[in-house]
Amino acid sequence: MHAHQMALDMFDYRSFATRKLSAIGPKYMPFADVATDDVPLSRLLRLSLFQISVGMALVLIVGTLNRVMIVELSVPASLVAGMLALPLLFAPFRTLIGFKSDVHVSALGLRRVPYIWKGTLYQFGGFAIMPFALLVLSGYGESYDAPLWLGYGSAGLSFLMVGAGVHIVQTVGLALATDLVAEEDQPKVVGLMYVMLLVGMVFSALVFGALLENYTPGRLIQVIQGVAVTTALLNLVAMWQQEPRDRVRARAMKEARPMQFKEAWQSLVQRPGMVRLLIIIGLGPFGFRMADVLLEPYGGQVLGLSVASTTKLTALFALGTLVGFGFASKFLGQGGSPVWYAIVGAAIGVPGFLAIIFASVSAAVVLFLIGTFLIGLGTGLFGHATLTATIRAAPSNQIGLSLGAWGAVQATAAGIGIALAGIVRDLVVGLQHIAGNAPETPYNFVFTVEIVFLLLALLVTLPFLKDQKKNNVPPDPDGFRLPASEQHSKSMELS
C-alpha cells in the first residue's frame, strides 16, 4: 500500500510539489508563518502578485528607463529626475487613499478591491502611452521629425499615471492583506507582501536584463508593452475573490456617520510618538533613495557597464533589501527593538556609499557591486523597523490610513531626494568646463550628500535608544518606545 502511494505521488507532481512547498515555506520563507487554515499561504501568495506588478514597474522606470534616457537618449539628468519624481507627486495622497478605502461604501460591502482595480487601470494606461513617448525621444522610425516637447510631455504623463497606479494598488493592497489576518499578524503579512515586492524586482531586473542584452529602441518598446499586459493579468488574479462580500457591513457603513479625513488624521498623529516616527521615516529615504536616479548611469558612464549589466544592478539592490527584511523579521520577532534596527540599517548605508565612491577611483566594479548590496541591506533593515512601528501604532480601524501615512512620507521624501539628485548632478556637470571635473565627480558629490543624510538620521534616532537604556525600557517589538515619563499608552507606544 505504501509503495502504491509513492507510485501515485511520482505521477501526481502537482500535489507532491504543493505538499513539499507547504512544508518548507514557514521554515525558510520570511513571514510565511502568518498563514492559517482560514487564510492559507497559497491565498496570501496569490494576493501578493500585486506586489510583483509594482516591482516590475519600479524596475522598469527607476532602473531601465532611467539609464536609457540619460545615456542612450541623452536626456538631461535633471529632466529625467523630474520625470521620475512626477509619480511621487501622488505619494502624499497615499494617506487619503488608505483612508478612503477604510470607509468606502459599496452595495456588496467591498472596500479595497474597487481601488485596486482603479490603480491597475492607471498603471496600464501609463504603460500604453510610454512606448510612443520613447519613440519620439529616440527619433526611431517615422518619429524622427516629431517635436521633442511632445516626447517629453507624453513621457512625463506616462510616468505620472504609472506612479499613481502603483501608489493606489500598493497602499490598498497592503490594507487588504491586513484585513485577512488577525491583528497580531498584520506586521508579518505586510512584511510578506514586501518580500514578494523584492522578489518581483529581482526577477524583473534579471528578465529585463536578458531581454535587453542587445538593446534597440524597438526591443525596449516590446518590453514595456509586455509589462502593461502582465500588470493587468497579475493584479486581476491577485484580487480575485480575496475580499468577501458583506452586505451587513455595507448597510452598517452606509447608515453610520462617516468620519472625515481631517478628523481621522488628527487622531492618528496625536498618538504618542507618531510625529517623531514620521520624521525618522522621512529621513531614511533622503539617505538611501537619492541614488536611485544615478546608480545605473554611474555604472554606464564611469565604469563602462552595458544596459543589461546596469539593469541587473536593481536585482542586486533588491536582493540586499530582501536579506535586510529577513534579518529584521527574525530578530524583531524575537523581541528586538525597532529603533535598534533602524539605527543599524542607516549605519550600514554609510560604508555602502563609500564603497561606490571608491569604486570610481580604481574602476573596481566589485566595490561598486558590494556598495549596491550594502545600500539594499540597509534599506531593508530601516524600512522593516519603521514599518513595524507604524502598524503597531495604529488602531485596527485605521490600518489603511497608517499604511498610507508610512508610504506617503517615505515616498514623498524619496521623490524630493530623487529630483534633487538629478538637479545637483547637472549643476556639477555644468561646472566641469570651469573646474575640470572627472566624469565621476557629479555622482560622487551626490553620494556624499546621501552619507550626510544617513548620519543625520542616526543623530535623530540615537536619542531614542539612549532613552530606552536610561529608563531601563526593555526592547519593544511593537514600535519605538517613549521615555518613561510619557508611557501612558503602553499598548500603542513608539518612542
Side-chain angles (χ1 to χ4, degrees), residues 321-451:
T321 309
L322 180 59
V323 173
F325 258 80
F327 274 115
S329 170
K330 178 180 179 180
F331 293 111
L332 287 175
Q334 295 174 355
S337 170
V339 65
W340 170 249
Y341 287 100
I343 290 172
V344 171
I348 288 176
V350 174
F353 282 111
L354 287 175
I356 291 175
I357 291 172
F358 289 133
S360 64
V361 178
S362 56
V365 176
V366 174
L367 268 181
F368 180 52
L369 298 179
I370 291 173
T372 302
F373 179 82
L374 288 177
I375 295 170
L377 179 62
T379 301
L381 289 169
F382 188 91
H384 189 278
T386 54
L387 177 63
T388 299
T390 304
I391 293 175
R392 293 297 191 186
S396 59
N397 64 339
Q398 289 188 331
I399 289 296
L401 178 65
S402 64
L403 285 171
W406 180 84
V409 172
Q410 61 91 21
T412 302
I416 296 173
I418 288 172
L420 287 176
I423 293 170
V424 170
R425 182 260 185 193
D426 280 357
L427 287 175
V428 178
V429 169
L431 298 174
Q432 274 191 316
H433 297 296
I434 301 174
N437 292 332
E440 65 271 13
T441 300
Y443 298 100
N444 288 345
F445 184 84
V446 175
F447 298 150
T448 303
V449 172
E450 292 191 83
I451 291 175

Side-chain angles (χ1 to χ4, degrees), residues 40-371:
L41 184 59
S42 59
R43 181 178 177 184
L44 292 175
L45 290 178
R46 180 165 64 84
L47 176 59
S48 71
L49 291 176
F50 78 86
Q51 286 285 61
I52 302 291
S53 73
V54 170
M56 285 195 307
L58 294 177
V59 170
L60 186 63
I61 291 178
V62 178
T64 306
L65 293 179
N66 163 37
R67 180 250 159 86
V68 167
M69 293 175 74
I70 292 177
V71 179
E72 273 71 27
L73 302 182
S74 299
V75 178
S78 57
L79 190 57
V80 175
M83 290 183 185
L84 290 179
L86 278 176
L88 297 168
L89 290 176
F90 203 82
F93 295 100
R94 289 180 70 139
T95 309
L96 180 61
I97 293 166
F99 168 74
K100 287 293 187 180
S101 72
D102 283 338
V103 300
H104 181 69
V105 178
S106 70
L108 298 178
L110 299 176
R111 297 186 301 163
R112 317 293 190 186
V113 166
Y115 283 92
I116 296 176
W117 184 241
K118 289 177 184 177
T120 301
L121 294 179
Y122 276 114
Q123 283 180 273
F124 186 87
F127 285 129
I129 297 172
M130 198 174 291
F132 302 102
L134 293 177
L135 279 174
V136 174
L137 290 177
S138 65
Y140 189 71
E142 297 181 3
S143 63
Y144 69 92
D145 59 348
L148 276 180
W149 65 265
L150 181 61
Y152 291 147
S154 54
L157 177 62
S158 65
F159 277 42
L160 181 61
M161 291 183 66
V162 171
V166 164
H167 288 308
I168 295 172
V169 168
Q170 191 175 55
T171 300
V172 182
L174 291 175
L176 175 58
T178 61
D179 291 342
L180 298 179
V181 299
E183 185 174 350
E184 62 271 16
D185 290 330
Q186 287 174 349
K188 291 183 180 180
V189 76
V190 173
L192 174 62
M193 295 297 118
Y194 268 92
V195 166
M196 296 309 295
L197 169 66
L198 299 171
V199 169
M201 291 178 67
V202 172
F203 180 76
S204 300
L206 295 175
V207 171
F208 295 164
L211 292 175
L212 296 172
E213 191 72 42
N214 298 313
Y215 168 79
T216 64
R219 175 58 65 87
L220 179 60
I221 288 170
Q222 290 176 335
V223 169
I224 296 172
Q225 292 172 332
V227 169
V229 175
T230 304
T231 294
L233 291 176
L234 287 177
N235 289 351
L236 182 61
V237 173
M239 65 184 179
W240 184 257
Q241 294 186 341
Q242 290 285 6
E243 187 175 23
R245 290 176 291 181
D246 191 339
R247 295 183 183 275
V248 176
R249 180 177 64 188
R251 192 179 304 112
M253 294 186 69
K254 187 175 182 180
E255 295 173 355
R257 183 185 75 84
M259 178 179 287
Q260 299 300 313
F261 174 72
K262 182 179 179 181
E263 181 182 351
W265 175 250
Q266 289 178 343
S267 173
L268 182 67
V269 297
Q270 287 174 359
R271 304 192 71 83
M274 176 59 78
V275 173
R276 283 181 284 181
L277 175 58
L278 293 177
I279 292 173
I280 294 171
I281 293 171
L283 285 172
F286 269 112
F288 285 113
R289 299 292 301 278
M290 287 179 72
D292 282 1
V293 72
L294 299 180
L295 276 180
E296 296 201 23
Y298 176 87
Q301 290 186 336
V302 177
L303 300 177
L305 300 178
S306 66
V307 173
S309 297
T310 55
T311 297
K312 292 173 184 176
L313 283 174
T314 308
L316 183 61
F317 177 89
L319 178 62
T321 309
L322 180 59
V323 173
F325 258 80
F327 274 115
S329 170
K330 178 180 179 180
F331 293 111
L332 287 175
Q334 295 174 355
S337 170
V339 65
W340 170 249
Y341 287 100
I343 290 172
V344 171
I348 288 176
V350 174
F353 282 111
L354 287 175
I356 291 175
I357 291 172
F358 289 133
S360 64
V361 178
S362 56
V365 176
V366 174
L367 268 181
F368 180 52
L369 298 179
I370 291 173

